[in-house]
């Protein structure tokens, strides 16, 4: 097969890149290792920044957000017996939207199918070749067991943290940075109306808790748990009891309503950045180049911001034989990546219990300042609601 851009990975980065390239008149083929149904069902992120929503609307992908998303002015920050609202709109002039990654993925699949764009699911043995040349290729075995090759002008590695693209970057000149955390999130999806109008981020001596949501009838909640936690040790009653304690059920009349748990899993925390995000004709975007702990709701938004920069860069490279934007891509994307890495680390460090009583007092001092000072609250609001693409 021959196309302009071979894209590896049909997650949000890969499918949105394909959509943005098509808007520039550039063809692509997406290769995905998983089945279409598996990719569609993954429960992951749920918050879209202001700049993500603007971009999606600008390319005809805002219909689902407008019909089924929920615009939030801000979040609640709390610790025992204190709950404060941080109003992003008045502090930073921007809001965020609750819209599940699953819903966005469905919108991207529908748009690609309507336009006849090619996505090859259930590919195995994906490998990248000739990245130093201007005619790289991707090989794989298709679902029928047949060997396939896609020749392209460039390859976009949108295959997440375990895909082959990250590993295809040569060691020479490559730098990586990472931080592991001694805790994870136990996340549940519950068929019950949210007990809050906007997200609650709760500091608690037992560990952090987050009350998020996906719709008017589906709640998404998280508990800080130690790394290596076995989900079998957390029957549903234990999860709801811990959530009630940490989120402050009964405090000032607030009540947490439990409901049937539809899905539960443990999500390990890690910060990771690989630089550069480009080698020859291979360009990394999204989780293939970086991961963040989910506290700042940045993973999905960073994937969107990366491909928003990458699509015009690849279009200029292929259509106009002009490499200026492609040459600048890695440095431009990494500015925002590191800003988001910082914010995600900062939110995580402020809200998660380390077991050290001194840390706990520092966290409470920081929370009191962020919620009492306009400058402190505005910093959180500006970063959470998101910086402009290309920041
Ligand atoms: C369990 C989980 C929960 C999360 N929860 C949150 C959250 O609450 N908040 C938040 O902000 N972020 C969250 N994230 C992060 C967010 O979902 C990611 O940042 C986002 O999915 C990144 O999009 P992406 O397209 O770069 O990567 P991905 O969505 O990972 O997509 C990569 C794609 O590449 C495919 N692939 C992998 N290997 C190959 C191969 N060899 N050949 C072809 N295709 C391949 C994968 O199957 C996948 O479809 C979560 C992530 C996970 C894993």
């Amino acid at each position: 097969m021959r196309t302009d851009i071979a894209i590896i990975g049909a997650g949000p980065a890969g499918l949105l890149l394909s959509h943005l390239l098509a808007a520039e008149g550039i063809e692509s083929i997406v290769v995905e290792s998983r089945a279409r149904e598996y990719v569609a069902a993954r429960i992951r992120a749920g918050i879209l920044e202001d700049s993500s929503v603007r971009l999606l609307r600008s390319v005809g992908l805002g219909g689902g957000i407008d019909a089924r998303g929920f615009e939030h002015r801000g979040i609640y920050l709390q610790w025992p017996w204190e709950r404060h609202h941080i109003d992003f709109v008045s502090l930073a002039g921007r809001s965020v939207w609750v819209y599940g990654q699953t819903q966005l993925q469905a919108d991207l699949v529908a748009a690609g199918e309507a336009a006849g764009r090619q996505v090859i699911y259930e590919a195995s043995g994906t490998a990248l070749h000739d990245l130093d040349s201007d005619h790289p290729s991707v090989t794989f075995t298709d679902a029928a067991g047949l060997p396939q090759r896609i020749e392209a002008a460039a390859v976009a590695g949108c295959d997440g943290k375990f895909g082959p693209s990250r590993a295809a970057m040569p060691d020479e000149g490559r730098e990586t940075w990472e931080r592991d955390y001694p805790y994870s999130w136990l996340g549940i999806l519950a068929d019950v109306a949210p007990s809050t109008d906007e997200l609650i981020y709760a500091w608690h001596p037992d560990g952090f808790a987050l009350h998020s949501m996906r719709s008017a009838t589906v709640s998404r909640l998280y508990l800080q748990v130690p790394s290596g936690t076995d989900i079998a040790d957390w029957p549903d009653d234990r999860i709801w009891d811990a959530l009630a304690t940490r989120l402050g059920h009964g405090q000032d009349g607030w009540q947490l309503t439990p409901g049937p748990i539809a899905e539960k899993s443990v999500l390990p925390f890690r910060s990771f950045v690989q630089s550069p995000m480009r080698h020859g004709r291979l360009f990394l975007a999204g989780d293939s180049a970086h991961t963040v702990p989910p506290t700042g709701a940045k993973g999905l938004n960073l994937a969107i911001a990366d491909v928003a920069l990458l699509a015009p860069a690849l279009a200029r490279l292929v259509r106009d034989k002009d490499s200026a934007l492609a040459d600048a891509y890695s440095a431009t994307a990494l500015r925002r990546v590191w800003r988001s890495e910082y914010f995600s680390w900062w939110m995580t460090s402020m809200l998660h219990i380390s077991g050290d009583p001194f840390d706990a007092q520092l966290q409470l001092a920081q929370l009191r300042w962020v919620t009492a000072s306009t400058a402190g609250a505005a910093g959180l609001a500006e970063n959470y609601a998101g910086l402009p693409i290309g920041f």
Side-chain angles (χ1 to χ4, degrees):
M1 288 170 269
R2 166 115 211 114
T3 188
D4 292 325
I5 309 295
I7 300 174
I8 309 177
L15 290 188
L16 180 58
L17 178 61
S18 169
H19 187 95
L20 298 176
L21 287 171
E24 300 258 9
I26 304 296
E27 275 184 14
S28 62
I29 299 177
V30 181
V31 180
E32 165 62 47
S33 56
R34 299 287 193 164
R36 186 178 177 282
E37 300 69 32
Y38 180 92
V39 177
R42 286 188 299 217
I43 308 296
R44 291 185 165 181
I47 299 288
L48 291 176
E49 293 176 355
D50 177 73
S51 54
S52 299
V53 173
R54 282 173 196 270
L55 173 85
L56 293 166
R57 281 187 178 142
S58 75
V59 292
L61 290 168
I65 298 168
D66 293 331
R68 294 179 297 282
F70 294 86
E71 186 172 16
H72 282 190
R73 288 186 66 93
I75 58 168
Y76 296 99
L77 272 185
Q78 76 168 47
W79 55 98
W81 295 99
E82 295 230 23
R83 180 175 292 172
H84 300 266
H85 189 246
I86 308 283
D87 191 306
F88 301 160
V89 177
S90 58
L91 289 160
R94 300 194 285 276
S95 61
V96 295
W97 286 75
V98 170
Y99 195 64
Q101 185 168 328
T102 319
Q103 293 167 296
L104 177 61
Q105 182 81 24
D107 295 347
L108 289 164
V109 169
E113 286 180 354
R117 286 194 291 275
Q118 196 175 357
V119 182
I120 300 169
Y121 289 97
E122 299 182 66
S124 57
T126 314
L128 298 77
H129 310 276
D130 301 321
L131 300 170
D132 287 312
S133 75
D134 59 3
H135 49 83
S137 62
V138 173
T139 56
F140 59 94
T141 302
D142 70 16
L146 298 172
Q148 301 287 358
R149 172 182 294 271
I150 303 174
E151 295 175 351
V155 177
C158 302
D159 43 0
K161 53 188 152 190
F162 302 118
S165 299
R166 184 188 283 186
M169 305 289 280
D171 285 341
E172 197 181 339
R174 170 167 69 167
E175 281 191 275
T176 59
W177 298 264
E178 55 189 292
R179 174 146 307 175
D180 285 316
Y181 302 82
Y183 33 75
S184 301
W185 276 5
L186 190 165
I188 64 165
L189 200 66
D191 290 323
V192 60
S195 301
T196 177
D197 58 341
E198 297 192 340
L199 275 67
I200 304 171
Y201 283 74
W203 181 98
H204 191 277
D206 291 355
F208 170 73
L210 171 62
H211 190 331
S212 182
M213 65 283 291
R214 288 293 182 267
S215 72
T217 55
V218 177
S219 296
R220 180 86 167 136
L221 299 109
Y222 299 95
L223 288 166
Q224 176 189 347
V225 291
S227 294
T229 290
D230 183 352
I231 197 80
D233 294 337
W234 284 84
D236 295 2
D237 287 351
R238 184 182 177 197
I239 292 173
W240 285 114
D241 285 349
L243 285 167
T245 302
R246 298 187 196 182
L247 289 167
H249 176 81
Q251 291 175 20
D252 298 327
W254 183 79
Q255 305 227 317
L256 175 68
T257 308
I261 295 178
E263 194 261 357
K264 57 181 171 181
S265 57
V266 173
L267 170 65
F269 270 38
R270 191 158 179 245
S271 301
F272 174 89
V273 180
Q274 172 162 309
S275 171
M277 289 169 62
R278 177 220 183 153
H279 168 73
R281 287 293 175 105
L282 169 63
F283 298 80
L284 302 183
D287 275 18
S288 68
H290 41 73
T291 47
V292 285
T295 325
K298 289 285 168 257
L300 173 60
N301 292 294
L302 271 182
I304 292 172
D306 282 354
V307 296
L309 293 174
L310 185 55
L314 291 176
R316 287 260 292 268
L317 185 68
V318 171
R319 192 182 49 219
D320 310 327
K321 313 289 178 232
D322 174 356
S323 68
L325 286 181
D327 292 343
Y329 167 68
S330 178
T332 311
L334 282 166
R335 270 171 59 88
R336 186 194 180 89
V337 167
W338 274 113
R339 184 62 233 151
S340 297
E341 289 285 348
Y342 181 90
F343 180 67
S344 303
W345 165 84
W346 179 77
M347 285 283 281
T348 302
S349 309
M350 180 170 70
L351 289 162
H352 290 73
I353 298 302
S354 71
D356 180 335
F358 190 81
D359 283 350
Q361 294 307 318
L362 293 180
Q363 291 171 326
L364 288 168
Q366 184 73 349
L367 282 164
R368 289 189 194 103
W369 175 70
V370 166
T371 52
S373 147
T374 305
L380 191 153
E382 187 172 296
N383 283 276
Y384 195 110
L387 297 157
I389 287 173
F391 163 81

